Amino acid sequence: MKKVLLPLICITVVTMAFAMGFIYAKQPRLAYVNLDKVYNDFEMKKELEKKLTTVQDMRKRQLDSLELGLNILSRTLQNFEMSGNKKGLEERMPEFEMLRQEYLQKQQAFEQDNQAMTQQYSEQIWKQINQYVKDFGKNKNYTYILGGDGTGSIMYAQEGNEITADVLAYVNESYKGSGGKN
Amino acid sequence: MRLVVQIVALLAVPLMISCAKENLSPKQYVNYIREETNGLNVSKQVGDYEFRLLYKPYEYIALMQDKDENISRQQLDQKIKPMKGLQYFTLTIRTKSGQELMREGISEETEYYDRLDYLVSYMQNDLSLIDGNDTLPCVLYHFERNYNTGPDNNLLLGFDIPANKNTGRDKTLVLEDQVLGTGKIMIRIAGNDINRIPQLQLLSQ
């Protein structure tokens, strides 16, 4: 009896282990990522932000210098007006108008360019983040990775299901060229 | 003491055998370089594009020129001689849709020619190689136009070899994209994978 029972128990245990392993493997693997953190700590975002700030500062300096010239000329015109120097006023007025137009045009163009640049950079950043998170999910066998962005898309999740740090490390390593093999 | 020496020798022999580079025939060598798992042909997908970087040792380029299995060492060396001084890569950009690179995601025909112009003449300025701590500009550049015959668009690239040449250094290609909308693309070939390249065994020496 003992001789029959022992192999039977062994077979049952092994079968159950396999079955449990199979069931576990079939279960969806779910995790969530704090997208705000990934976005803000993404190396590419930091690089582009620096680039954008440099460009915006340069543009601001250009505008400031134009504004200064405009203010000086405006004060000169006011002096002409107060002293009744009509000839001086007539002579310098077209110059003031031209400078004012140039200032306004540049201000508008810079605003539009800054906006377009911000949008373009943001699109590029998200394109890369989305790709790397997708690669991460595939490589680590996740069924779903949910993105929490602080707007209420994930209202509650167990702490153990957060993979932000892993994703961030993967995203930054992929950006630096590992080709998704990290 | 003798026993210790014997044990060390026993441990060292398999280690030396495993570290020794294997010898490959020309065909095997070419396949080895191309095989993705060997780390010399690395790809990365961003948005609608796949970027693939192939590291090309001199022997690989020489073998690809002739495709002669019976090439002699002398013939090979002759082919390699003018290549020296630069390190070579092929960057392949493939569109997801299978379209020609210039046509992907454009809305006007003028964009096609703008892109073509950029790819032929200006993209070189946006490419660099981080070799260890050195950042090298792209000194050799050729865009292989495929006239819409396939999804692959090849860029043949060459970079100087830094003076303090160390073959064990990682090499990262940097593309500061201006037209594809992907942003900066970086692809790395690990120095270890370059060091592991097997020796080429020629049939006739």
Side-chain angles (χ1 to χ4, degrees):
Chain A
M1 183 66 181
K2 248 185 185 176
K3 270 186 184 173
V4 181
L5 208 64
L6 199 67
L8 207 71
I9 291 170
C10 282
I11 291 168
T12 316
V13 169
V14 170
T15 315
M16 276 175 69
F18 268 111
M20 281 172 74
F22 184 73
I23 291 166
Y24 179 76
K26 280 273 169 192
Q27 286 217 332
R29 237 182 130 203
L30 197 87
Y32 77 97
V33 183
N34 181 341
L35 284 176
D36 268 352
K37 186 163 173 49
V38 173
Y39 181 83
N40 286 320
D41 291 345
F42 183 30
E43 292 293 333
M44 184 187 186
K45 185 250 174 187
K46 290 178 190 169
E47 282 174 20
L48 290 182
E49 200 171 47
K50 217 182 269 178
K51 215 167 158 182
L52 190 68
T53 311
T54 311
V55 172
Q56 283 178 345
D57 282 353
M58 250 162 51
R59 286 173 175 168
K60 195 176 174 305
R61 274 203 292 275
Q62 266 193 54
L63 278 180
D64 285 351
S65 118
L66 272 177
E67 198 178 350
L68 183 72
L70 204 60
N71 283 341
I72 292 169
L73 195 57
S74 162
R75 214 162 295 157
T76 311
L77 291 178
Q78 273 174 7
N79 286 342
F80 283 156
E81 204 172 5
M82 272 158 55
S83 61
N85 185 350
K86 268 189 175 175
K87 198 179 168 216
L89 199 66
E90 272 168 21
E91 263 176 18
R92 304 295 301 272
M93 202 54 171
E95 190 188 339
F96 176 78
E97 261 314 307
M98 209 170 72
L99 209 61
R100 198 174 75 95
Q101 280 300 322
E102 190 188 349
Y103 176 79
L104 290 174
Q105 272 171 8
K106 276 222 162 107
Q107 190 188 35
Q108 199 186 1
F110 285 167
E111 261 172 31
Q112 281 172 354
D113 278 357
N114 287 344
Q115 236 171 13
M117 218 168 148
T118 309
Q119 198 187 335
Q120 186 196 358
Y121 283 173
S122 173
E123 277 170 16
Q124 290 175 354
I125 293 163
W126 280 114
K127 209 176 254 182
Q128 296 216 10
I129 288 179
N130 286 336
Q131 184 65 52
Y132 300 146
V133 173
K134 209 162 131 186
D135 294 344
F136 177 89
K138 255 188 210 166
N139 288 351
K140 311 273 176 188
N141 287 325
Y142 278 98
T143 320
Y144 302 103
I145 293 178
L146 308 176
D149 54 6
T151 57
S153 55
I154 294 177
M155 302 294 281
Y156 170 75
Q158 268 184 5
E159 258 180 46
N161 292 334
E162 184 176 0
I163 51 164
T164 307
D166 291 345
V167 168
L168 185 62
Y170 185 93
V171 162
N172 277 328
E173 198 47 42
S174 294
Y175 172 61
K176 286 179 199 156
S178 77
K181 283 173 186 64
N182 38 333
Chain B
M1 184 61 189
R2 221 170 125 191
L3 187 73
V4 174
V5 172
Q6 279 176 342
I7 292 171
V8 169
L10 269 173
L11 291 172
V13 169
L15 195 75
M16 280 163 74
I17 292 168
S18 66
C19 288
K21 286 183 177 178
E22 53 179 326
N23 290 327
L24 299 180
S25 72
K27 198 174 174 187
Q28 286 173 325
Y29 185 87
V30 167
N31 288 340
Y32 180 93
I33 301 295
R34 286 179 180 172
E35 174 56 50
E36 279 179 49
T37 52
N38 294 325
L40 304 165
N41 187 6
V42 181
S43 71
K44 173 176 195 171
Q45 194 161 336
V46 177
D48 295 330
Y49 303 94
E50 184 194 87
F51 300 85
R52 179 173 289 280
L53 184 68
L54 175 70
Y55 174 75
K56 301 188 292 186
Y58 299 142
E59 285 84 358
Y60 173 84
I61 303 170
L63 290 172
M64 290 305 292
Q65 280 176 1
D66 252 14
K67 292 180 180 157
D68 178 12
E69 278 268 312
N70 300 315
I71 189 168
S72 69
R73 172 58 61 186
Q74 200 186 356
Q75 286 171 313
L76 194 84
D77 287 345
Q78 249 174 3
K79 283 187 177 298
I80 287 174
K81 212 174 166 188
M83 296 177 203
K84 291 218 163 149
L86 291 183
Q87 43 187 332
Y88 301 91
F89 298 84
T90 295
L91 175 67
T92 303
I93 307 176
R94 174 181 279 212
T95 58
K96 227 183 203 176
S97 63
Q99 282 208 87
E100 205 179 2
L101 189 57
M102 286 82 77
R103 223 165 259 294
E104 181 68 31
I106 61 166
S107 46
E108 286 174 39
E109 195 62 13
T110 51
E111 280 181 67
Y112 177 92
Y113 293 103
D114 285 347
R115 274 196 187 187
L116 180 62
D117 192 30
Y118 173 74
L119 284 162
V120 170
S121 313
Y122 302 105
M123 198 177 194
Q124 181 174 11
N125 305 328
D126 296 324
L127 285 160
S128 58
L129 184 77
I130 302 172
D131 189 336
N133 295 323
D134 298 302
T135 301
L136 311 163
C138 179
V139 291
L140 187 83
Y141 174 89
H142 175 69
F143 169 61
E144 262 182 8
R145 199 172 168 191
N146 70 7
Y147 295 93
N148 219 2
T149 51
D152 286 351
N153 300 271
N154 292 329
L155 303 156
L156 312 180
L157 314 173
F159 299 89
D160 279 325
I161 298 171
N164 51 345
K165 180 184 155 187
N166 177 355
T167 47
R169 308 197 303 182
D170 287 354
K171 295 171 194 299
T172 306
L173 181 86
V174 181
L175 165 62
E176 295 272 0
D177 162 56
Q178 306 287 340
V179 296
L180 305 176
T182 58
K184 188 163 144 185
I185 297 292
M186 289 193 267
I187 312 178
R188 186 169 63 223
I189 306 271
N192 281 340
D193 290 328
I194 295 174
N195 281 346
R196 265 202 297 268
I197 297 175
Q199 305 274 1
L200 175 63
Q201 176 79 56
L202 298 173
L203 292 174
S204 51
Q205 286 303 313

